[in-house]
Amino acid sequence: MATTRLLLTFAIYRLIVTVGLTVEPTELLRLGVDGQLSVDPADMETASLDFGMMSRTEPLAVFHPASAEDIARLIRAAYGSARGFTVSARGHGHSINGQAQATKGLVIEMSGLRGRQLGSGKPALPRVSEEESYVDVWGGELWIDVLRATLEHGLAPKSWTDYLYLSVGGTLSNAGISGQAFNHGPQISNVYELDVVTGKGELLTCSEEQNSALFHAVLGGLGQFGIITRARIPLEPSPQRVRWIRALYSNFSAFTKDQEFLISLHAHPAAQKFDYVEGFVIVDDGLINNWRSSFFSPRNPVKITSFNANGGVLYCLEVTKNYDDSSATRIDQEIEALLEKLDFIPTSVFTTDLPYLDFLDRVHKNELKLRSKGLWDVPHPWLNLFVPKSSISDFDKGVFKGILGNKTSGPILIYPMNRDKWDQRTSVVTPDEDVFYLVAFLRSALDNGDETQTLEYLTQQNRRILKFCEDAGIKMKQYLPHHTAQQDWVDHFGDKWDRFYHKKLEFDPRRILATGQRIFNPSFTTQLAFSW
């Protein structure tokens, strides 16, 4: 404890000398934490950036907690401070527009390793209950580590994200979606219980039955009401292998009709449906591979010029079937029965087979390849939209066959989900239709001399896509939303805004949490004034 206090004193001294501190030093010294407050340049640089690499803002310091109580003590200090300071939780830093940053505040490093090196009181490792089929995990745990821990017991969570190097608290603060969402709902629909530190520094357990208002507010709440320190996630028996299938379409109506048919089977027995349904758009003459997966062998490339693209655009349906030794003999028959009901280009079916873990972790393998080429740590002007089913054809004509031209610089995902799998009591907003599509433009900006791949060009193209939706009356919602004016946030939340606003007053009355989202101003300073 003496060593921790000495480090804390040194960090506060550095803060005063180098950047000035907007909180009395004695308030932080009284924390009595087991974690570490750091102003190490490497920590500060990490906390000032995110995956988007489009904004940079340096915090006052970075806090490495050793326990949930550490976080509670820190936030109580912020809440009770006369001068005040903001606090943001940072998981793996996969936000796009600086949502986890804290200008002149403290960043809590939830997924760092240092907290686990501090001895007693360290954040707990995943704890699996085989009897009750759930796992308790630290809020900063990465999903890949959750998966590895549960697979040791022959179990796995039901709902995933495409990329597993994301923190549990991070995805639950947004929604957490992938191709399983049509069947199981998003990750926020697959949570039994949470431990949350509110903006008043209260460490509360919440669930459907206990502190339910906080439970539903935090799920999809963009970090506005509290920091998730523990989540209890339901599990199911894990399959051993995955049959992974892709098929191409040149007709958009046939493509969406088949996708919508496949997600309508969610209530059918497992043998009569796929376990995962996604898709993507191919708008240029490139390989059907993309950085999300190594589906095709480099020795057997597939180009879209092999097929007749309607208007230069092809659509790829992506489905999987999970199986193990007991079901291996009938997997081909089950797949054939489903595929014969679909209207894809007959010669375009491609199939591969791999272990369950390898399928779920498919993006990371390609991340390593891109890192080796210096193509990962680049700006990512991503745009993620929920588009209602009734407007998806107009979106195709105006965006895929219009605004994009025949150029893209990253995957474009498109797949439908069933709205009744989303709990409307959570903070997430979706289009008000039974079926809506995720359309995700996952682009990378490159400085390679091609104007269409520059950050400026892609950012402007995103604005054109949003303007097109507005002009066409497409009532879409942003997923992983980014707005800079409060009226835009009011419009985003729609009927949920009043509830969202009053829950903010209840659980974070000084508005110190997650100011990087740019939804609310802190109550104690005009230093961070936004555009309203």
Side-chain angles (χ1 to χ4, degrees):
M1 188 64 189
T3 301
T4 299
R5 187 178 181 84
L6 180 62
L7 289 170
L8 189 59
T9 303
F10 175 70
I12 293 171
Y13 171 77
R14 290 240 347 236
L15 288 171
I16 296 170
V17 171
T18 58
V19 296
L21 192 63
T22 58
V23 59
E24 293 294 335
T26 54
E27 294 173 7
L28 292 180
L29 285 172
R30 285 197 297 265
L31 289 177
V33 296
D34 296 318
Q36 292 181 0
L37 187 69
S38 171
V39 288
D40 181 273
D43 284 341
M44 300 287 277
E45 179 67 13
T46 297
S48 70
L49 297 171
D50 63 13
F51 179 70
M53 294 192 71
M54 294 183 293
S55 64
R56 186 187 189 282
T57 181
E58 191 167 283
L60 286 175
V62 177
F63 183 59
H64 298 271
S67 66
E69 186 56 40
D70 267 3
I71 296 172
R73 290 189 185 105
L74 177 69
I75 294 181
R76 282 198 294 270
Y79 178 64
S81 168
R83 300 186 185 181
F85 57 94
T86 61
V87 179
S88 287
R90 185 182 192 275
H92 196 52
H94 209 73
S95 57
I96 301 300
N97 294 286
Q99 288 91 335
Q101 295 168 2
T103 304
K104 301 303 180 183
L106 297 187
V107 169
I108 301 177
E109 184 59 67
M110 297 292 292
S111 298
L113 297 176
R114 192 174 305 187
R116 289 186 177 170
Q117 299 167 354
L118 298 176
S120 61
K122 68 182 180 181
L125 294 170
R127 185 179 66 83
V128 175
S129 171
E130 291 188 27
E131 182 178 349
E132 299 186 56
S133 293
Y134 68 73
V135 59
D136 281 325
V137 296
W138 170 247
E141 199 74 67
L142 301 185
W143 282 104
I144 181 63
D145 295 321
V146 176
L147 176 60
R148 287 169 176 155
T150 60
L151 286 178
E152 291 179 4
H153 302 266
L155 300 169
K158 302 174 184 178
S159 188
W160 293 100
T161 55
D162 286 345
Y163 181 56
L164 301 188
Y165 286 73
L166 304 173
S167 69
V168 171
T171 65
L172 296 183
S173 295
N174 288 281
I177 55 175
S178 185
Q180 304 88 2
F182 83 93
N183 198 23
H184 297 293
Q187 290 182 319
I188 58 172
S189 295
N190 294 271
V191 183
Y192 284 156
E193 188 176 273
L194 299 172
D195 283 347
V196 174
V197 178
T198 71
K200 294 185 284 189
E202 303 167 304
L203 177 55
L204 301 174
T205 298
C206 56
S207 64
E208 291 275 2
E209 296 78 26
Q210 181 180 6
N211 295 313
S212 60
L214 178 62
F215 181 72
H216 293 122
V218 167
L219 292 172
L222 304 177
Q224 294 301 304
F225 312 108
I227 294 175
I228 297 170
T229 59
R230 179 185 63 90
R232 178 165 290 180
I233 308 296
L235 304 174
E236 64 179 0
S238 61
Q240 294 172 321
R241 298 193 65 80
V242 171
R243 186 69 56 81
W244 187 8
I245 303 155
R246 285 179 173 175
L248 298 179
Y249 293 73
S250 60
N251 183 286
F252 186 71
S253 295
F255 172 69
T256 54
K257 180 181 178 182
D258 282 357
Q259 281 195 321
E260 290 165 18
F261 164 70
L262 291 176
I263 72 164
S264 74
L265 305 177
H266 62 89
H268 288 221
Q272 299 174 23
K273 63 184 177 183
F274 286 115
D275 296 292
Y276 162 103
V277 176
E278 284 198 12
F280 57 92
V281 182
I282 308 165
V283 297
D284 57 4
D285 182 18
L287 294 176
I288 298 174
N289 262 342
N290 54 56
W291 63 253
R292 294 177 59 252
S293 64
S294 293
F295 189 86
F296 299 106
S297 167
R299 291 169 295 185
N300 184 28
V302 178
K303 286 183 173 289
I304 70 168
T305 48
S306 306
F307 306 94
N308 294 319
N310 180 12
V313 180
L314 282 174
Y315 312 92
C316 184
L317 174 68
E318 187 172 40
V319 294
T320 70
K321 194 83 163 137
N322 300 336
Y323 70 99
D324 51 33
D325 292 341
S326 64
S327 58
T329 56
R330 58 179 185 272
I331 189 72
D332 291 337
Q333 183 178 353
E334 292 174 2
I335 290 173
E336 186 61 33
L338 286 164
L339 291 182
E340 67 182 12
K341 299 176 183 178
L342 307 181
D343 193 21
F344 48 80
I345 298 171
T347 58
S348 72
V349 179
F350 304 94
T351 302
T352 190
D353 197 284
L354 68 172
Y356 184 61
L357 173 60
D358 289 356
F359 171 72
L360 291 181
D361 197 29
R362 61 199 180 279
V363 175
H364 181 60
K365 294 178 180 178
N366 287 273
E367 173 191 347
L368 297 177
K369 294 178 183 177
L370 290 177
R371 283 188 183 279
S372 69
K373 299 176 182 178
L375 297 176
W376 184 261
D377 293 323
V378 298
H380 296 97
W382 287 10
L383 179 65
N384 295 272
L385 306 176
F386 288 153
V387 179
K389 170 186 170 180
S390 62
S391 300
I392 198 64
S393 179
D394 291 337
F395 193 94
D396 170 61
K397 294 173 185 175
V399 179
F400 301 149
K401 295 189 177 82
I403 291 174
L404 295 183
N406 65 346
K407 276 285 189 178
T408 184
S409 58
I412 303 172
L413 307 188
I414 175 171
Y415 58 90
M417 290 172 279
N418 296 306
R419 190 170 187 261
D420 63 5
K421 297 291 184 178
W422 294 64
D423 190 334
Q424 298 305 314
R425 294 172 296 176
T426 68
S427 293
V428 170
V429 287
T430 65
D432 190 17
E433 293 189 10
D434 291 342
V435 171
F436 61 90
Y437 281 78
L438 170 75
V439 182
F441 300 89
L442 309 182
R443 281 96 71 84
S444 300
L446 304 176
D447 185 14
N448 61 3
D450 185 343
E451 180 189 3
T452 65
Q453 295 190 23
T454 63
L455 178 59
E456 181 181 0
Y457 182 92
L458 295 174
T459 301
Q460 181 59 33
Q461 195 172 73
N462 285 345
R463 294 193 188 104
R464 290 177 61 198
I465 292 169
L466 294 173
K467 186 66 165 58
F468 167 79
C469 291
E470 180 182 354
D471 293 344
I474 296 176
K475 297 180 179 179
M476 61 80 187
K477 294 292 183 181
Q478 286 192 37
Y479 177 56
L480 312 176
H482 172 61
H483 301 290
T484 56
Q486 192 173 56
Q487 185 56 50
D488 291 335
W489 282 111
V490 173
D491 294 341
H492 170 80
F493 285 105
D495 293 342
K496 286 189 175 184
W497 171 254
D498 285 344
R499 185 177 72 185
F500 192 89
Y501 177 80
H502 286 101
K503 293 303 178 188
K504 183 69 171 179
L505 294 181
E506 179 180 357
F507 296 117
D508 183 23
R510 296 197 71 186
R511 304 188 289 279
I512 65 175
L513 297 177
T515 53
Q517 293 281 2
R518 302 171 70 86
I519 304 175
F520 299 100
N521 267 323
S523 64
F524 47 79
T525 179
T526 58
Q527 184 180 25
L528 300 180
F530 302 147
S531 57
W532 60 84

